[in-house]
Amino acid sequence: MDRPDERPRRGLTAAPTPSDAAGAFEPYLSRCNFPPPPATVTCAVSGGPDSLALLVLARAAGLEVTAVHVDHGIRPTSAADAGVVAAAAAAVGAGFRGETASVAPGPNLEARARSARYTALPDGALLGHTADDQAETVLLNLLRGAGPAGVAAMAPEHRRPLLGLRRADTLEVCRLAGLTPVLDESNLDPAIRRNRVRHELIPLLEEIFERDVAPLLCRHADLSREATEALDAAVAGLDPRDCATLAAAPRALARWALRRWITEGGWITEARGPTTGGERHPPDLAAVDRALAVALGEARAAEVGGGWRVRRSAQRLHLEPTASGSAVCQTDPP
């Protein structure tokens, strides 16, 4: 995720070809998780240091790359960023495509912009998230009250090949490639919670504990991911729609089975409504417990957020859209 901590200037200087720079980039490539060459990939490139490094390293890894820039129209200078990305793509021998995804001002701007960006990108597009982004996500999800899956944060998959790099690494990759990242002023806006976590909370934690906390938080994410995989395996044979099965299971497993079923059965998105696009988000603990109350016969039906409700009929649970698509949470008495 492109959130430079320094003050880069807008622009581009001549970059070495991927073959010329392979040796210089090898220390960084060895910590990346790119698909093997000669795979063809799309890279989401905003013009900031993380996504420019993603573009450079993908080409240095021998991949055929198309850089896609998505302009949200939020900042007055955002349209010019597409030209910077196009020039960078040409310099490293990659293709380029510009997309627009207008996002209106208002609450939850960052989340809505992210959702619009992911919708505009092709499936499987590579993203430039780093270990620092991972650490911030762990803290944000932990303090939102997320369970193990939320604290597990972003999985180290091909879609996020830079999770083994730090933000300082991406700045150095850009320097080696002769690229000057653009500055997104919104990354310094204290009204955005992630920015305060980055610029205030993490430095405070490092001061208190006298160490670099990002590797610790990333390790916590890895351990949480192992726990969620174990829970997935434990409920693999459990029918989450069978009320008797849920009643007999340990509460933790019943909750986990319901959480998986609601997430997979309903597309609960950042727009908070049933849809077939956008990001999939699991229900919160309160919603899962309302669904469990339905399974245990304590309620006849309950809303679980995102315009979905769970109801019981003949000892079976059913997931269905609410009549109004409302995200208001209600529970019908038994």
Side-chain angles (χ1 to χ4, degrees), residues 41-42 121-127 158-159:
V41 299
T42 298
L121 291 169
D123 291 342
L126 305 189
L127 307 171
H158 283 321
R159 194 179 183 200

Side-chain angles (χ1 to χ4, degrees), residues 42-60:
T42 298
C43 292
V45 186
S46 69
D50 299 344
S51 64
L52 282 181
L54 173 69
L55 171 64
V56 170
L57 292 173
R59 287 291 295 130

Side-chain angles (χ1 to χ4, degrees), residues 222-308:
D222 293 339
L223 293 172
S224 297
R225 194 172 307 108
E226 289 181 1
T228 62
E229 291 170 356
L231 286 168
D232 284 341
V235 302
L238 192 154
D239 183 355
R241 299 182 59 193
D242 185 83
C243 295
T245 297
L246 292 172
R251 192 174 187 89
L253 295 185
R255 278 174 165 167
W256 195 259
L258 282 170
R259 178 186 179 279
R260 286 186 62 190
W261 173 60
I262 294 170
T263 304
E264 294 170 1
W267 289 92
I268 300 176
T269 72
E270 303 223 8
R272 308 306 299 161
T275 178
T276 56
E279 297 178 83
R280 221 188 313 191
H281 288 263
D284 59 27
L285 177 60
V288 172
D289 279 346
R290 287 194 297 272
L292 184 56
V294 175
L296 299 178
E298 299 167 3
R300 191 173 52 209
E303 295 190 22
V304 292
W308 295 94

Side-chain angles (χ1 to χ4, degrees), residues 45-211:
V45 186
S46 69
D50 299 344
S51 64
L52 282 181
L54 173 69
L55 171 64
V56 170
L57 292 173
R59 287 291 295 130
L63 307 182
E64 293 297 322
V65 181
T66 298
V68 175
H69 177 269
V70 180
D71 180 10
H72 301 105
I74 297 174
R75 296 179 293 112
T77 60
S78 62
D81 296 348
V84 174
V85 175
V92 300
F96 170 78
R97 187 172 77 252
E99 300 282 355
T100 57
S102 298
V103 180
N108 301 318
L109 181 63
E110 185 182 30
R112 290 187 294 110
R114 181 172 62 249
S115 182
R117 180 165 64 253
Y118 287 172
T119 300
L121 291 169
D123 291 342
L126 305 189
L127 307 171
H129 299 114
T130 67
D132 294 276
D133 294 306
Q134 181 82 310
E136 294 159 9
T137 302
V138 170
L139 286 173
L140 286 164
N141 287 350
L142 180 66
L143 296 174
R144 287 181 184 125
V151 178
M154 298 176 283
E157 57 187 4
H158 283 321
R159 194 179 183 200
R160 294 180 172 90
L162 304 190
L163 284 181
L165 299 184
R166 301 296 298 273
R167 191 165 294 124
D169 294 325
T170 64
L171 287 165
E172 180 61 12
V173 167
C174 290
R175 187 192 69 79
L176 289 171
L179 303 179
T180 302
V182 300
L183 171 64
D184 183 348
E185 298 85 356
S186 67
N187 293 330
L188 304 175
D189 183 358
I192 298 175
R193 185 171 291 153
R194 182 179 286 270
N195 290 341
R196 297 198 66 186
V197 168
R198 170 171 301 168
H199 299 299
E200 299 177 37
L201 179 56
I202 287 182
L204 178 60
L205 290 173
E206 292 178 338
E207 178 184 341
I208 292 171
F209 292 98
E210 300 180 330
R211 64 183 303 175

